[in-house]
Amino acid sequence: MSFSRLLTPRILLDTTAVFPPSSSVVAPSLSRQLRCTRTGGSPPAPPHRLVARRAMSNGAAEPAIYGGGGGAQQAASSAAARRVTLATLRGKHRRGEPISMVTAYDYPSGVHVDAAGFDICLVGDSAAMVAHGHDNTLPISLDLMIEHCRAVARGAARTFLVGDLPFGSYEASTAQAVGSAVRVMKEGGVNSIKLEGSAPSRISAARAIVDAGIAVMGHIGLTPQSVSALGGFRPQGKTVESAVKVVEAALALQEAGCFAVVLECVPAPVAAAATSALTIPTIGIGAGPFCSGQVLVYHDLLGTFQTSHAKVSPKFCKQYGNIGDVINRALSKYKQEVETQSFPGPSHTPYKLAATDVDAFLNALKMKGLNVAADAAADAVEYTDEKEINGTPQLKVYA
């Protein structure tokens, strides 16, 4: 029996008072095919043309000194054939298969997420916290979010990319919301955008963006951009009234045309109710196991930050690695080898003058009166010829 089929008998929340049988809102089972339910029209097609360029190279090969070049373009072309699309996500949801999602903020994290085979990669406004050191997500700008999206898109050719609309980029009007979404899509190279909240203005913004032909992911429960109004990063849906509002909000976002909804920091029964009520996927973060998929922050799950930064690692996050400790050890070892002059050794000093040019170079220096420089060059020749004593290069440092 699929996991989605186990959800229905677990739902204890009575929503008949909120959604009477005559209501136009229907709560079908999760096994029904995913679709963006819109009143009076069919769902917009995913903007394939806007994202097709992600598989393309800039046409310039990497210098041989760094490797890469044509291989990167071939990898991107290969990935394009199996790129995750909205149709892929709809198929997984229809079959009851969990959807995997994680954040990324730059080219290296985009490469890692893509290689790991995630379905969705969110370029989140949490970059303000984990990449720029702020205490919340509010300071990051639309321009900076676009730069993060560009970087991730260069590294993630296969996964479905979602770009966050940052605080202040869509609240003023639907025109502002559409304009910001278009910029993130065109300039950031993502497949869709995400916005937070379920107030009437946010629902209108979501609907307008969908009408503009852009796929939208909603986000309810704890919405970090509303940290001021919420009084901090606090879980939501813990009372009957607020729990019902979470389900109502999810349905409203679905009605606006969203293809998925993030449920953050809500009790598991509330997330289960919302998941069962919707025909689109729910992506949980701190919302229990009954969602259609899960998302975590890249830095949190990898254990990037140490104890002094524990405030950015929420208690619902499982740490799958201790990358911060690995990084610290590597940096300390590098610093030590620099200070003891054991790095770089001959094996990491690969570039040499041709043997026939060494004497000519030394003589040219001496003819210019650069005798000390010639002596330094002669010593370097011996060093790069791997003349070591007891495995440790004997260096003469010229100040």
Side-chain angles (χ1 to χ4, degrees), residues 194-205:
K194 181 173 76 66
L195 55 75
E196 294 184 8
S198 59
S201 61
R202 307 297 173 87
I203 300 298
S204 296

Side-chain angles (χ1 to χ4, degrees), residues 76-387:
S77 298
S78 176
R82 59 184 186 277
R83 182 179 297 120
V84 178
T85 66
L86 279 180
T88 310
L89 300 176
R90 289 168 179 156
K92 293 197 71 169
H93 181 255
R94 183 175 63 252
R95 295 187 297 270
E97 298 174 5
I99 295 172
S100 60
M101 177 169 159
V102 70
T103 66
Y105 308 96
D106 53 21
Y107 175 77
S109 57
V111 169
H112 287 303
V113 168
D114 212 53
F118 278 89
D119 298 316
I120 303 175
C121 177
L122 169 66
V123 187
D125 60 356
S126 46
M129 301 175 71
V130 299
H132 298 281
H134 294 291
D135 290 332
N136 55 56
T137 65
L138 303 184
I140 198 165
S141 67
L142 179 61
D143 288 340
L144 192 50
M145 277 302 306
I146 289 173
E147 289 301 323
H148 281 288
C149 288
R150 284 174 175 168
V152 173
R154 294 185 192 107
R158 187 202 64 85
T159 188
F160 188 86
L161 287 184
V162 181
D164 249 339
L165 290 186
F167 178 72
S169 68
Y170 61 99
E171 296 88 346
S173 65
T174 55
Q176 182 199 31
V178 172
S180 296
V182 168
R183 284 198 62 197
V184 173
M185 291 286 292
K186 291 183 66 175
E187 300 174 37
V190 299
N191 302 108
S192 64
I193 63 93
K194 181 173 76 66
L195 55 75
E196 294 184 8
S198 59
S201 61
R202 307 297 173 87
I203 300 298
S204 296
R207 180 176 289 108
I209 295 171
V210 171
D211 286 343
I214 298 173
V216 177
M217 175 179 283
H219 183 160
I220 55 175
L222 170 57
T223 47
Q225 292 178 10
S226 303
V227 61
S228 176
L230 296 175
F233 296 106
R234 303 180 183 278
Q236 303 297 303
K238 296 182 68 175
T239 66
V240 173
E241 181 181 3
S242 61
V244 171
K245 286 183 178 180
V246 169
V247 179
E248 288 183 298
L251 287 164
L253 287 167
Q254 175 178 266
E255 182 66 18
C258 292
F259 73 90
V261 176
V262 172
L263 301 175
E264 181 168 357
C265 293
V266 299
V270 179
T275 301
S276 183
L278 298 177
T279 61
I280 60 176
T282 58
I283 308 296
I285 176 168
F290 302 110
C291 296
S292 310
Q294 299 291 329
V295 60
L296 284 176
V297 170
Y298 183 88
H299 294 71
D300 292 344
L301 74 91
L302 292 179
T304 304
F305 295 108
Q306 304 303 297
T307 304
S308 61
H309 297 88
K311 64 181 180 180
V312 301
S313 297
K315 61 183 179 181
F316 59 74
C317 179
K318 180 177 180 179
Q319 187 172 304
Y320 289 85
N322 193 3
I323 301 303
D325 185 57
V326 174
I327 291 172
N328 286 343
R329 289 201 306 269
L331 290 174
S332 296
K333 186 174 181 180
Y334 165 62
K335 175 176 176 289
Q336 180 185 31
E337 290 191 1
V338 169
E339 292 173 346
T340 60
Q341 297 182 344
S342 60
F343 176 83
S347 61
H348 294 100
T349 309
Y351 312 113
K352 299 181 181 181
L353 283 171
T356 55
D357 292 334
V358 171
D359 289 341
F361 176 55
L362 298 179
N363 290 333
L365 291 174
K366 291 177 181 179
M367 290 179 62
K368 293 180 178 293
L370 301 174
N371 293 334
V372 174
D375 291 341
D379 289 342
V381 169
E382 295 182 4
Y383 174 77
T384 54
D385 284 340
E386 300 189 18
K387 291 187 177 181

Side-chain angles (χ1 to χ4, degrees), residues 15-16 18-28 32 35 37 39 247-256 273-274 276-279:
T15 59
T16 56
V18 181
F19 309 113
S22 61
S23 171
S24 61
V25 178
V26 182
R32 291 185 58 180
R35 62 181 183 274
T37 306
T39 302
V247 179
E248 288 183 298
L251 287 164
L253 287 167
Q254 175 178 266
E255 182 66 18
S276 183
L278 298 177
T279 61

